[in-house]
C-alpha cells in the first residue's frame, strides 16, 4: 500500500482513489485532504512514493524535523 506522511503531523497516510481513479490522501486527525488532480501532479506523486518506499528514513526524518519546529514554535504561540 502506497503511503505518504501528512505534512502537518507526519502520520503515515494511505493512498486512496476517488471514483475517477485519481489519488488523494486524508489525515483524520488534522482534517487535511490532499487531492492530486493534474497529470503532472500524479506523475510527481508516483515518483515521490517510489522514493519514499526506496528509503525508509524520510518518515522518521520528517517527524524529527517537525518536532524540532514545534519545539521552537509552541512556546511562542502559547
Ligand atoms: Zn496530519
Amino acid at each position: 500500500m502506497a503511503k505518504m506522511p501528512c505534512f502537518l503531523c507526519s502520520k503515515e497516510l494511505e493512498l486512496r482513489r476517488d471514483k475517477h481513479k485519481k489519488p488523494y490522501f486524508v489525515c483524520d486527525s488534522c482534517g487535511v485532504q490532499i487531492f492530486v488532480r493534474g497529470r503532472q501532479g500524479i506523475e510527481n506523486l508516483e515518483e515521490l512514493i517510489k522514493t519514499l518506499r526506496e528509503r525508509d528514513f524520510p518518515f522518521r526524518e520528517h517527524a524529527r524535523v517537525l518536532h524540532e519546529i514545534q519545539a521552537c514554535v509552541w512556546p511562542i504561540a502559547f
Side-chain angles (χ1 to χ4, degrees), residues 9-53:
C9 71
S10 81
K11 188 178 132 193
E12 286 185 38
L13 310 179
E14 286 192 359
L15 177 88
R16 304 182 191 189
R17 299 263 177 198
D18 69 11
K19 60 186 173 190
H20 303 291
K21 304 286 182 210
K22 304 248 179 171
Y24 71 100
F25 299 89
V26 175
C27 178
D28 290 325
S29 26
C30 295
V32 169
Q33 298 179 322
I34 305 160
F35 294 89
V36 185
R37 300 287 184 219
R39 193 176 53 82
Q40 184 64 59
I42 291 168
E43 281 176 24
N44 291 348
L45 178 66
E46 283 167 4
E47 202 58 36
L48 174 64
I49 287 170
K50 210 171 79 185
T51 306
L52 290 174
R53 198 178 283 153

